[in-house]
Amino acid sequence: MNELIEKAKEFHTLTKDELVSLLANDGINDVLFQAADSVRREFVGDEVHLRALIEFSNYCRCNCLYCGIRAENNLVERYRLEKAEILELAQHAAASGYKTIVLQSGEDFSFKADYLAEIVAGIKKLDVAVTLSIGERSYEEYKILKESGADRFLLRIETTDKGLYEKMHPKASLENRKRCLYDLKELGFETGTGCLVGLPGQTVESLADDILFFKELDADMIGIGPLIPHPHTPLRDSECGNLMLSLKVMAFTRLLLPDINIPATTAMETLNPEGRIMALQAGANVVMPNVTAEGVRGKYEIYPNKAAVNYAELSKKLSQIGRTISHKKGFRGRSCRKDIR
Ligand code: SAM
């Protein structure tokens, strides 16, 4: 097993069967995390990129079985920020030193592409990178957003298991999710995707497929999060996703896509107060602090007790593990090595 990890560390490939046997074996975890940490250091260095997250609307037309802001959850107090409020949050974040602003929302079609494009163009004047995470749209809408200056787009595939995908996402299709991701790539967005770990009925085989899909798409960013059940969703009685398994999926992703950006996700920190640091030592190189105004932050409750980032504490913890906060926009560092391009 250790030889397979050595092979992945050197050649950045593993077969599905190899991934399945490695994911199912917890005896390899320390060796795996060390290998992912060393590949992270070699390809993307010791800097940690901070992305300022603005959650600008919790309206959503979707009914994902796990998500606290799903349309059918009537217990959520809905909100939408105005353009001026979003720009003010972005200005404040840029003035505080953030070099990337992430705009995230539910699938809220009242934000038309043209209106979002005006917001993106306003934020781009602050000399920051802009990431969008607004769900599924048409090619034409993504094109308008790209032309307005947006640099990146996050859209997790959630799971590549078609049956499971369709069970978890009523009226949605895996094909359309994939179509969106390939459109985003074609339009020149740095494209981020990722999966949820711990969906009921998910198998190790499907997690292996997820990792191979990230490689096939040549994703530029991957966010892996354990499922955290929300009490007002159909998955209220499900188990939490397993943190170790989530870290393993993330570590294999680093081995197979060595030069991409990988966040230490908030869901990992929510499950374990050291989850973020564990992730940063197992392949991650990005943290996404939430800069949404306190007054509305609690309403964007995709799962309960979402962990926050304390800047002073984070920078102290980072220096303890030999890492520093980056002051760059942190685009994907293309490797000059042909075998991993
Ligand atoms: N609507 C956009 C989209 O579909 O990409 C962005 C917002 S969506 C709420 C952001 C992410 O939250 C999803 O990709 C999903 O993986 C994650 N999420 C939602 N509910 C969750 C839960 N209960 N536990 C962990 N992650 C969750």
Side-chain angles (χ1 to χ4, degrees):
M1 285 292 171
N2 289 357
E3 281 159 27
L4 285 180
I5 292 174
E6 274 306 311
K7 174 185 116 169
K9 194 174 158 189
E10 180 141 5
F11 300 107
H12 313 293
T13 59
L14 284 170
T15 65
K16 177 171 174 181
D17 286 348
E18 288 167 344
L19 275 169
V20 169
S21 58
L22 289 161
L23 284 168
N25 179 347
D26 273 335
I28 53 116
N29 293 3
D30 288 346
V31 175
L32 167 65
F33 297 152
Q34 279 163 25
D37 197 40
S38 125
V39 168
R40 184 270 309 152
R41 187 175 309 113
E42 182 188 348
F43 284 84
V44 297
D46 283 331
E47 289 194 331
V48 174
H49 300 291
L50 300 188
R51 320 291 202 200
L53 176 66
I54 299 175
E55 294 158 340
F56 65 91
S57 164
N58 69 352
Y59 281 85
C60 192
R61 73 186 179 107
C62 302
N63 263 308
C64 311
L65 261 54
Y66 45 81
C67 186
I69 61 168
R70 64 200 303 271
E72 282 176 15
N73 180 7
N74 300 322
L75 298 169
V76 185
E77 198 185 323
R78 305 281 169 176
Y79 73 91
R80 281 187 185 107
L81 300 188
E82 300 282 335
K83 179 175 156 189
E85 291 174 295
I86 300 172
L87 289 177
E88 196 184 324
L89 287 169
Q91 269 153 10
H92 191 260
S96 313
Y98 288 102
K99 301 303 285 177
T100 293
I101 307 293
V102 183
L103 297 181
Q104 191 176 82
S105 67
E107 288 205 5
D108 182 356
F109 285 0
S110 78
F111 280 87
K112 306 263 178 266
D114 288 336
Y115 182 60
L116 279 169
E118 285 172 25
I119 296 172
V120 171
I123 298 179
K124 284 302 288 180
K125 290 191 187 131
L126 303 169
D127 185 28
V128 289
V130 174
T131 306
L132 295 172
S133 175
I134 57 166
E136 298 178 20
R137 299 270 178 141
S138 67
Y139 182 90
E140 289 68 32
E141 288 171 292
Y142 287 150
K143 188 161 182 277
I144 292 169
L145 294 167
K146 186 74 191 79
E147 286 167 358
S148 72
D151 303 278
R152 309 187 182 116
F153 203 106
L154 301 175
L155 185 76
R156 285 185 181 169
I157 193 77
E158 316 292 2
T159 174
T160 53
D161 175 334
K162 187 171 156 58
L164 182 60
Y165 187 92
E166 283 164 14
K167 215 160 144 190
M168 292 294 123
H169 306 101
K171 297 194 184 140
S173 79
L174 183 62
E175 287 74 24
N176 196 50
R177 199 81 175 169
K178 287 189 177 172
R179 189 272 305 159
C180 289
L181 286 165
Y182 283 102
D183 282 355
L184 291 163
K185 264 281 186 193
E186 190 191 310
L187 285 162
F189 280 97
E190 274 206 341
T191 304
T193 187
C195 63
L196 273 168
V197 174
L199 291 170
Q202 189 176 45
T203 60
V204 171
E205 284 75 12
S206 86
L207 288 170
D209 283 333
D210 295 350
I211 299 170
L212 294 174
F213 171 72
F214 305 154
K215 180 116 176 136
E216 180 192 304
L217 175 70
D218 189 27
D220 303 296
M221 308 168 281
I222 297 291
I224 312 287
L227 171 80
I228 302 180
H230 189 290
H232 304 139
T233 65
L235 294 198
R236 65 182 70 84
D237 296 325
S238 298
E239 302 266 309
C240 276
N242 182 302
L243 177 62
M244 251 332 137
L245 185 56
S246 309
L247 290 169
K248 289 180 74 173
V249 173
M250 190 196 75
F252 282 120
T253 301
R254 170 61 72 199
L255 293 184
L256 266 55
L257 290 139
D259 62 351
I260 65 168
N261 285 313
I262 301 185
T265 57
T266 304
M268 289 177 173
E269 180 85 350
T270 302
L271 282 190
N272 180 319
E274 291 305 314
R276 195 172 278 132
I277 289 294
M278 289 161 85
L280 288 166
Q281 294 182 288
N285 69 322
V286 170
V287 172
M288 293 172 67
N290 193 331
V291 300
T292 316
E294 294 281 351
V296 289
R297 204 182 288 180
K299 295 180 193 157
Y300 196 89
E301 196 191 60
I302 53 180
Y303 52 80
N305 306 316
K306 258 195 303 174
V309 175
N310 175 318
Y311 190 93
E313 200 181 299
L314 177 70
S315 72
K316 187 170 153 209
K317 280 187 179 173
L318 289 181
S319 70
Q320 284 165 353
I321 60 166
R323 307 283 282 280
T324 52
I325 290 178
S326 158
H327 299 289
K328 304 187 203 97
K329 291 187 181 118
F331 287 101
R332 179 181 186 180
R334 282 272 152 189
S335 171
C336 48
R337 284 175 56 177
K338 267 206 204 105
D339 54 329
I340 59 117
R341 249 187 245 153

